Amino acid sequence: MKRALILNAINTRIGGVLIRGKKGTAKSTAVRSLAALLPEVSVTRQVRIVDLPVGATEDRLVGSLDIEQAIKTGSRSFEPGLIASTHRGILYVDEVNLLNDHLVDVLLDAAAMGRNYVEREGISVSHAAQFILVGTMNPEEGDLRPQLLDRFGLAVEVDSAFTPEERREVVKRRIAYEDDPFGFMDKWQDSEAEERERILHSQELLGKVHVSDDILELITDICAEYQVDGLRADIVMYKTAGTIAAYEGRNHVLADDVREAAEMALLHRQRRQPFQQPHLVTEQLDSMIDDFQNRPQNREPQDQDQNQSEEQDDGDPDSPEPEEQPPTPPGDSGPQDQYYEVGNPFSVRSLQVKPPDHRARPAGGRRARTISGSPSGRYVSAATPQDKASDLALDATLRTAAPHQVERRSGLGSQADTDNAPAFLIEPWDVREKVRETKTGSLILFVVDASGSMGAQRRMVAVKGAILSLLLDAYQRRDRVGLIAFRGTSAQVLLPPTSSVDLAHTLLQEMPTGGRTPLSRGLMLAMEVIEAEKQKDRSVLPLLVVLSDGRANVAMGSGGPSSASDQAEGGNLPLAEARAMAAAIKEQHISAVVIDTETDFLRLGLAEPVAEAMGALCIKLEELHSDALADTVRMQMPMSDKPTPVTRRDSGAPAANKAAIEVFNWWLPRLGSNQGFQLQRLTCYHYTTGQRQYRKSIVIAVARGVK
């Protein structure tokens, strides 16, 4: 961590550093202490550290129109933002993973180009913005998007494991500083001055460092071997290796410099999937560095490739690779508990959440459109402020005051008062504030049926694959997620609502399957979790995703399956309780989606009544794919002059529907190109014939023309 900070201090063109680590690992302390080590700038002042709050707005960051100057004089004047004030300093963003993505984009653009460009409210301004961008984050609270991770030049992982000796030393120094701050700083003044001189000498030597073609070849080979996307990693490694050489007092780059640069430049660029934690395989890197150091200088590159292939051939071909086994979670497992792997993810259809009210909500997601609760988002209208205007709508204010200018100016009295009056006369009741629209994230609470019926035909594999796909969608839309599983006679919160979808993925892999189906208990627990979240934040937008076949067989008042007396009294008490809980969820105006996991040939359809009572959309598991949604949308769109194939499945068995659709699609091109047709009704009659009981279908498809 300290090494990466010093390298950015020597060469600001590296592109900043991202420090990842758990709480209490002195990330912020290290960043704030860097300013004392940096040489003073030309105006003989210490390098400034500017903190960017997580709730900062774009106006405050990049700058905006000086409203006061515009109203008083009628002239356009630029009011600088935090980027301008941090020029030739350090811009520190604590918990950068919680910052809005568009603000992170603006920061990284300014840090990479060295200038800040402002195009807003009729102002076109650019100014120098050379600063060291440092971001810290706790991975437990969520991660940055891969596109933003790649924009940071370097990334380091702070280990939270300290030896007892290190812990004692940290405590001693902390107590010594609190007892006598100035005496503590005087004690380390000589060491800081020595390090400051070394940084200054490194900056002078940096321009004289030579990177040979062999070193450049090594850098590009490493990036190609690690399959890094783009060329930013190659450029950052080149700059970092040269900076390391300058810091060590050399004017040439060694292979060890490339090794150290790769460990900091490739760590965050190795992620291939959202749920894969950043990890650099150092054995592969060490092997490439050793091969480079051991080869003769006049040796051709193809010779090296040949030797590497020979070394691989010398290995034992019979040694099998270890197979990955599904994790076996600790704890008690029932005799019927089974553990299934997670199925392959797929692109899912979009699950939208409509806000139940017009409450202002904070930005920070991509799930639902809502009124912004901060001065960020798209300016859509203006309104009279309920309190002091926090986001002035200048255009609406001027339009409101414009019809009264003649009357107000005539009431000023003397000519002197008129000459000294502002260019535009505005009264307090003319003020309007901006109404902004933004996208916000949701709380997606997964309620998963983990009963024994989900193990039939390995349905849990497909269900886990669907949940993983939804988690990937939640990751991309910056949603918070929670996980509830119900089986046996109870329901359990496996993961309370959190921003870390990585934890949900880990718990999903370890979730067992077995037992009965207490559906009503799972729905009741989901209501309790959502209510607790609303108590913490009234602006939360929950989305309940229930994955079950609806075959409830455990009532809340009993510890076992439904008895004959229960069924005699209320038909089916567990199902009745499940529908009652679903109706209660509807009364709370909670958006919900029921995914019917039933995949048998003969469907009972028990999940549909639950979804209907919940006021939720019911989706079959196979219809969760985005391709199925696209087919449905094409079916409902107005027809063009070219017939559109039919993919709708209305009734009957899936195989019969498929046959009917194939027949109907075969006839469409032959009906003429000037008319479009839509499938109005699809009826399937099934019968069996012959000794081998082959299933046959008579399909009647009724079509209607659309002009």
Side-chain angles (χ1 to χ4, degrees):
M1 174 176 62
K2 293 189 292 185
R3 186 82 159 183
L5 290 172
I6 291 175
L7 294 177
N8 273 272
I10 297 172
N11 186 2
T12 58
R13 295 185 300 172
I14 289 178
V17 58
L18 176 66
I19 304 175
R20 299 166 49 94
K22 296 182 179 180
K23 54 184 178 295
T25 51
K27 302 184 296 292
S28 301
T29 303
V31 175
R32 299 184 192 281
S33 62
L34 179 63
L37 298 178
L38 299 183
E40 295 180 347
V41 294
S42 57
V43 294
T44 61
R45 62 168 174 82
Q46 188 180 20
V47 174
R48 180 187 295 113
I49 293 184
V50 177
D51 290 296
L52 178 63
V54 174
T57 63
E58 187 177 358
D59 295 346
R60 187 70 186 95
L61 179 63
V62 302
S64 62
L65 178 69
D66 190 338
I67 302 297
E68 182 179 359
Q69 189 73 10
I71 292 178
K72 285 184 177 180
T73 64
S75 60
R76 291 181 297 181
S77 178
F78 177 68
E79 183 178 2
L82 290 176
I83 292 181
S85 61
T86 195
H87 177 52
R88 305 183 70 177
I90 301 173
L91 184 58
Y92 173 50
V93 187
D94 192 13
E95 305 296 347
V96 65
N97 53 321
L98 303 181
L99 193 66
N100 287 337
D101 288 344
H102 75 283
L103 295 184
V104 180
D105 281 328
V106 170
L107 279 177
L108 294 171
D109 283 337
M113 294 185 295
R115 295 193 68 82
N116 179 34
Y117 294 89
V118 183
E119 300 285 347
R120 56 186 304 124
E121 296 169 339
I123 294 179
S124 179
V125 178
S126 68
H127 60 82
Q130 298 179 0
F131 56 88
I132 303 172
L133 178 61
V134 181
T136 58
M137 58 171 288
N138 184 353
E140 295 177 347
E141 299 174 348
D143 210 340
L144 281 170
R145 289 187 295 141
Q147 298 90 328
L148 299 179
L149 282 173
D150 184 57
R151 299 288 299 276
F152 278 94
L154 305 179
V156 292
E157 195 85 20
V158 182
D159 191 4
S160 59
F162 299 100
T163 63
E165 293 78 9
E166 292 173 337
R167 291 177 176 272
R168 285 193 293 269
E169 185 63 25
V170 170
V171 173
K172 288 180 180 179
R173 294 188 184 184
R174 175 68 182 183
I175 299 303
Y177 173 78
E178 292 179 354
D179 292 341
D180 186 8
F182 294 102
F184 183 85
M185 290 187 290
D186 292 339
K187 178 181 178 181
W188 295 95
Q189 188 173 5
D190 294 340
S191 299
E192 291 180 352
E194 181 180 351
E195 186 65 28
R196 191 181 302 113
E197 288 295 327
R198 185 179 180 183
I199 293 175
L200 185 60
H201 176 70
S202 302
Q203 291 175 341
E204 297 172 354
L205 184 61
L206 182 60
K208 304 176 183 179
V209 174
H210 173 68
V211 181
S212 64
D213 292 340
D214 290 339
I215 293 296
L216 178 57
E217 179 185 347
L218 175 61
I219 291 174
T220 55
D221 287 346
I222 291 175
C223 293
E225 183 69 22
Y226 277 87
Q227 299 180 354
V228 178
D229 296 331
L231 298 174
R232 187 173 284 115
D234 308 62
I235 299 172
V236 171
M237 282 182 59
Y238 186 96
K239 295 178 180 179
T240 305
T243 307
I244 293 173
Y247 185 65
E248 297 296 336
R250 289 182 272 103
N251 59 2
H252 60 281
V253 178
L254 302 178
D256 289 335
D257 300 334
V258 177
R259 184 204 310 268
E260 185 178 358
E263 292 176 352
M264 293 183 286
L266 299 182
L267 172 66
H268 56 306
R269 295 183 171 94
Q270 279 288 287
R271 295 193 63 174
R272 307 305 300 174
Q273 293 293 335
F275 301 122
Q276 293 178 353
Q277 292 296 327
H279 175 68
L280 187 66
V281 182
T282 56
E283 293 80 3
Q284 185 180 3
L285 177 62
D286 294 339
S287 176
M288 297 186 67
I289 296 295
D290 293 341
D291 291 343
F292 177 83
Q293 292 175 333
N294 295 332
R295 74 176 186 180
Q297 295 298 323
N298 57 355
R299 189 168 161 187
E300 295 297 331
Q302 52 266 29
D303 296 338
Q304 179 191 8
D305 298 337
Q306 181 178 357
N307 287 346
Q308 288 180 352
S309 61
E310 291 176 356
E311 291 176 1
Q312 294 176 358
D313 295 338
D314 291 340
D316 186 7
D318 298 331
S319 58
E321 295 182 359
E323 297 182 357
E324 294 184 359
Q325 299 294 333
T328 301
D332 297 334
S333 298
Q336 298 179 352
D337 289 350
Q338 296 179 342
Y339 296 90
Y340 294 95
E341 68 275 14
V342 180
N344 295 326
F346 51 85
S347 178
V348 297
R349 58 188 295 181
S350 178
L351 303 179
Q352 299 295 333
V353 180
K354 185 178 180 180
D357 50 37
H358 298 284
R359 186 190 304 271
R361 291 176 171 86
R366 302 181 185 87
R367 177 69 60 180
R369 292 188 178 275
T370 183
I371 300 299
S372 176
S374 62
S376 62
R378 187 167 62 93
Y379 174 26
V380 293
S381 62
T384 303
Q386 300 297 326
D387 200 355
K388 183 179 179 181
S390 58
D391 190 10
L392 178 65
L394 181 60
D395 56 341
T397 301
L398 296 180
R399 286 195 300 268
T400 305
H404 308 287
Q405 293 305 300
V406 177
E407 178 184 355
R408 291 173 183 175
R409 196 166 295 278
S410 62
L412 292 177
S414 62
Q415 184 66 31
D417 294 338
T418 304
D419 295 339
N420 295 330
F424 209 83
L425 300 177
I426 297 178
E427 298 295 339
W429 49 85
D430 298 329
V431 176
R432 298 292 184 271
E433 66 178 0
K434 295 179 180 178
V435 177
R436 297 181 181 269
E437 185 182 73
T438 186
K439 283 193 173 183
T440 185
S442 304
L443 167 61
I444 301 183
L445 186 59
F446 294 95
V447 182
V448 184
D449 185 351
S451 62
S453 62
M454 302 300 292
Q457 301 180 4
R458 294 175 57 83
R459 280 194 291 167
M460 184 53 77
V461 177
V463 171
K464 286 188 175 183
I467 298 175
L468 176 61
S469 305
L470 293 170
L471 285 175
L472 288 170
D473 182 66
Y475 172 83
Q476 295 168 356
R477 295 175 183 267
R478 315 298 287 176
D479 293 320
R480 298 170 63 219
V481 295
L483 183 61
I484 294 176
F486 59 91
R487 68 190 189 99
T489 59
S490 62
Q492 181 182 4
V493 179
L494 299 182
L495 179 66
T498 178
S499 299
S500 177
V501 293
D502 295 334
L503 294 177
H505 176 241
T506 302
L507 293 171
L508 179 65
Q509 292 176 315
E510 302 173 353
M511 185 174 64
T513 302
R516 294 183 291 272
T517 311
L519 177 57
S520 55
R521 292 181 183 271
L523 297 178
M524 183 179 68
L525 183 57
M527 285 187 59
E528 294 175 354
V529 171
I530 292 176
E531 184 62 29
E533 289 299 312
K534 286 186 175 182
Q535 293 295 332
K536 300 176 185 177
D537 183 8
R538 302 301 301 177
S539 64
V540 66
L541 276 178
L543 173 61
L544 188 63
V545 179
V546 182
L547 295 100
S548 176
D549 54 12
R551 300 177 182 179
N553 54 18
V554 177
M556 287 191 294
S558 63
S562 57
S563 61
S565 60
D566 293 336
Q567 297 183 6
E569 293 177 1
N572 192 321
L573 182 58
L575 285 177
E577 285 185 349
R579 294 171 187 172
M581 293 304 304
I585 292 175
K586 182 179 180 180
E587 293 177 358
Q588 297 295 326
H589 303 287
I590 299 175
S591 301
V593 175
V594 176
I595 299 177
D596 187 359
T597 60
E598 198 173 30
T599 58
D600 299 333
F601 183 78
L602 295 177
R603 298 176 181 265
L604 299 180
L606 298 178
E608 294 182 5
V610 176
E612 183 179 357
M614 199 182 300
L617 176 67
C618 186
I619 306 174
K620 292 182 174 60
L621 188 60
E622 61 270 17
E623 296 176 351
L624 190 59
H625 292 255
S626 59
D627 296 339
L629 175 64
D631 293 339
T632 304
V633 172
R634 296 190 192 101
M635 179 66 191
Q636 299 299 330
M637 290 178 63
M639 291 292 187
S640 61
D641 58 348
K642 183 178 180 181
T644 304
V646 176
T647 57
R648 185 174 175 182
R649 300 176 180 178
D650 285 343
S651 64
N657 282 340
K658 183 178 180 181
I661 290 169
E662 290 177 355
V663 172
F664 193 77
N665 288 339
W666 184 86
W667 275 105
L668 272 181
R670 294 159 177 79
L671 293 176
S673 59
N674 296 326
Q675 299 185 43
F677 291 86
Q678 287 183 345
L679 187 64
Q680 186 175 14
R681 186 172 70 255
L682 180 64
T683 308
C684 300
Y685 298 91
H686 309 292
Y687 66 95
T688 58
T689 181
Q691 295 181 355
R692 301 184 64 179
Q693 300 293 312
Y694 282 110
R695 185 176 183 84
K696 300 293 183 179
S697 300
I698 298 177
V699 181
I700 300 176
V702 181
R704 60 183 176 87
V706 180
K707 294 295 183 180

